[in-house]
């Protein structure tokens, strides 16, 4: 079974981003970029499926600038077999990304596509569901457990009230939640080997996909700052403040 | 303009998040219709008809919709929603699961988790874990939007008298089936609807110690939340996680106990009215957003707090 994994290059989760003075976006000059944490979990899940003998080939795909090759090489070092970069310098919406991924799915015909549930930059939480709509496949979003058996996959999902399990016919789309697995680190020999693994570059034009958008970002601002309050000296003082000053208990 | 709001429910009860979503629809302006897709959800439709500001309730009653499987519900919403100016759903795990699938079927971009309505086509939404707020404008013929409940005060659950109409459309894609679910049972208020939330982090050390927080919460009529570290360590179940990738809460009072205040955690609670932090490390970043900080050992402070409130 072939597994396709989508990985996104994003600001590292430790970076506290700053809004640009002209409110056109956030300042990404000279900040550390990494693979989206949920995408790391997606790669790890695919590698585990391969180690179990369920997956035979892992193809990773990223849509983004040429520098997204770094994240693809990381995925190759973690155990993916080959990589595809769909190069696009512009910021694409989730729908545009999903359309490009659909074109890659048509070309590669994977049985399972694994994505992160959410990219920590735009926090959209859309792409997997949109890809499922465009392909007509079933979707197991926010997965905490994935079990492939025969021509179906059982996905346990983290939902507001607890957990839900659904069964999907293959091919299917899965998006990862935090507790699906704990991603491994790439070893140095594997990082070296990854440099020789195949990485193909494509363009939206070559895939025949229009990335036009119905959304426009008007401006990006810093959130209203919350200022630090006071330190209380004792539990008694805290209770007094909550009762008489804040009046919340 | 007519707006379609997707009801959030479990076939028995209309979830409160629907009231915040209707509030967002009212800010946009125009007629508001509510879709109840489910099985045997008559009581939900009745409740939806009473919600202030709703003029019509559409009921799609079919076994295929019983568990809100997106493969079946999204085509229904896309078919019905195509004639509306906006389709809105709460940004719950269910709304997030279904709505992007609807947007892609309608070939429009979705706007996720809006926190304010600037005009009928322009909205604000947090990005980068709330470290930036984007103003987004949509020129889509149907605007597909999820609504963050904490951004909008709920409309009244009573006072309306909308017409209830059955819709015949049945979609069963046959690609997915429901296997089972494990729902947490709790007598405490729901995390995202509670007026007071007491949350514990890694500092709690183990699941058993959460009993101190439950005791405090029960005295305050509060709900109990947790940081990701506490969930990952297995102290408490995942549905208690507050943060960028957990639940977003904005209660009157949020008490963070043994939580350091990572940006991913702050993203889920920093809009709370009053924040209290109890932490033994006076340098902990949580104190930068706390209205009242107490530098203390939680194992002494929490039992004492429970006694005094
Ligand atoms: C300031 C600013 C404002 C923006 N405003 C908007 C906006 O309002 N609306 C909007 O739709 N977009 C906006 N974008 C674009 C946005 O950054 C994303 O590139 C785009 O929306 C994709 O969505 P996502 O990454 O949040 O997807 P999600 O749905 O959150 O991502 C889920 C998963 O999809 C996969 N995936 C997503 N993108 C890629 C990719 N490029 N390559 C491979 N896999 C991928 C990954 O597996 C990822 O984990 C904005 C960007 C900036 C910088
Ligand atoms: C992609 C991604 C998504 C994430 N999403 C979330 C999310 O949604 N929610 C979330 O919470 N986190 C999230 N995180 C994790 C986040 O980065 C932090 O790791 C986490 O919030 C830390 O939890 P904590 O504060 O409980 O633990 P720690 O950072 O370990 O803090 C424990 C605190 O307890 C204090 N303490 C210890 N003992 C005592 C005592 N006896 N008395 C008083 N104080 C004591 C310590 O001083 C310390 O400040 C995410 C991370 C990533 C990468």
């Amino acid at each position: 079974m072939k597994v396709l994994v989508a990985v996104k290059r994003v600001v590292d989760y430790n970076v506290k981003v700053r809004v640009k003075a002209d409110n056109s976006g956030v300042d990404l000059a000279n900040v550390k970029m990494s693979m989206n944490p949920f995408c790391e979990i997606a790669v790890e899940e695919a590698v585990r499926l391969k180690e179990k003998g369920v997956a035979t080939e892992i193809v990773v795909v990223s849509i983004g600038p040429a520098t997204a090759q770094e994240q693809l090489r990381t995925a190759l070092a973690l155990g993916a077999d080959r990589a595809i970069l769909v190069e696009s310098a512009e910021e694409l919406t989730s729908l545009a990304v999903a359309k490009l991924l659909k074109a890659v799915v048509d070309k590669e015909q994977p049985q399972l596509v694994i994505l992160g549930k959410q990219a920590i930059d735009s926090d959209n939480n859309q792409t997997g569901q949109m890809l499922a709509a465009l392909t007509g496949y079933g979707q197991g979003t926010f997965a905490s457990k994935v079990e492939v058996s025969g021509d179906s996959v059982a996905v346990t999902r983290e939902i507001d009230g607890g957990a839900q399990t659904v069964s999907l016919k293959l091919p299917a789309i899965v998006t990862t939640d935090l507790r699906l697995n704990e991603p491994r680190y790439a070893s140095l020999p594997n990082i070296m080997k990854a440099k020789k693994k195949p990485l193909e570059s494509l363009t939206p034009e070559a895939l025949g996909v229009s990335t036009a958008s119905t959304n426009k970002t008007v401006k990006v601002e810093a959130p209203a700052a919350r200022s630090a309050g006071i330190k209380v000296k004792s539990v008694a003082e805290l209770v007094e403040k909550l009762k008489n000053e804040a009046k919340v208990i | 303009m007519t707006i379609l709001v997707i009801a959030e429910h479990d076939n028995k009860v209309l979830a409160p998040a629907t009231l915040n979503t209707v509030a967002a629809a009212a800010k946009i302006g125009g007629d508001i219709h509510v879709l109840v897709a489910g099985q045997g959800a008559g009581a939900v439709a009745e409740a939806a008809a009473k919600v202030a500001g709703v003029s019509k309730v559409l009921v799609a009653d079919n076994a295929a919709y019983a568990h809100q499987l997106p493969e079946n519900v999204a085509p229904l919403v896309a078919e019905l929603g195509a004639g509306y100016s906006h389709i809105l759903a709460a940004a719950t795990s269910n709304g997030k699961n279904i709505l992007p699938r609807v947007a892609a079927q309608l070939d429009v971009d979705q706007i996720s988790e809006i926190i304010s309505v600037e005009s009928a086509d322009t909205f604000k939404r947090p990005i980068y874990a709330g470290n930036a707020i984007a103003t987004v404008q949509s020129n889509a013929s149907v605007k597909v939007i999820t609504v963050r409940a904490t951004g909008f005060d709920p409309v009244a659950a009573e006072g309306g008298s909308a017409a209830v109409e059955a819709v015949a459309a049945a979609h069963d894609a046959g690609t997915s089936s429901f296997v089972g679910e494990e729902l947490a049972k709790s007598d405490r208020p729901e995390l995202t609807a509670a007026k007071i939330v007491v949350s514990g982090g890694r500092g709690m050390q183990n699941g058993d110690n959460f009993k101190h927080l439950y005791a405090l919460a029960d005295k305050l009529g509060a709900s109990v939340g947790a940081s990701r570290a506490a969930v990952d360590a297995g102290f408490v179940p995942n549905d208690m996680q507050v943060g960028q990738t957990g639940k977003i809460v904005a209660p009157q009072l949020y008490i963070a106990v043994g939580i350091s205040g990572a940006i991913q955690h702050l993203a889920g609670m920093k809009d709370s009215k009053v924040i209290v932090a109890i932490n033994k490390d006076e340098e902990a970043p949580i104190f930068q957003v706390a209205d009242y900080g107490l530098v203390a050992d939680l194992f002494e402070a929490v039992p004492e707090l429970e006694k005094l409130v």
Side-chain angles (χ1 to χ4, degrees), chain B residues 50-194:
Chain B
K50 286 190 200 132
V51 173
V54 175
S55 63
K56 195 196 275 184
V57 175
L58 303 172
V59 185
D61 197 305
N62 195 290
Y65 308 138
H67 300 287
Q68 304 294 328
L69 292 173
E71 296 79 6
N72 303 341
V73 176
L76 169 75
V77 177
E79 185 190 314
L80 293 173
Y84 286 84
S85 60
H86 300 73
I87 304 175
L88 267 55
T92 54
S93 58
N94 188 45
K96 290 176 185 171
N97 194 26
I98 290 171
L99 224 58
R101 195 165 177 130
V102 173
Q105 278 194 256
L106 294 171
D107 197 23
V108 299
D109 286 302
Q110 173 179 297
I111 304 182
S112 295
E113 302 221 17
I114 62 163
I115 52 170
S116 87
V117 173
E118 303 298 301
S119 73
D121 67 0
T122 307
F123 310 90
K124 287 196 178 183
R125 61 176 301 260
I127 53 177
Y128 291 93
N131 284 307
I133 308 291
T135 303
V136 184
Q137 188 173 24
S138 164
N139 64 13
S141 52
V142 188
K143 295 169 184 54
V144 179
I145 297 167
T146 60
V147 175
R148 184 175 283 190
T150 55
F152 301 88
D153 289 331
V155 297
E158 303 279 336
S161 57
V164 178
E165 217 173 81
V167 291
H171 294 269
D172 191 350
T175 49
S176 61
S177 57
F178 172 81
V179 177
E181 63 192 358
E182 254 176 75
L183 299 181
K185 280 185 207 73
S186 169
D187 299 332
R188 296 186 189 89
E190 212 255 312
L191 197 52
T192 54

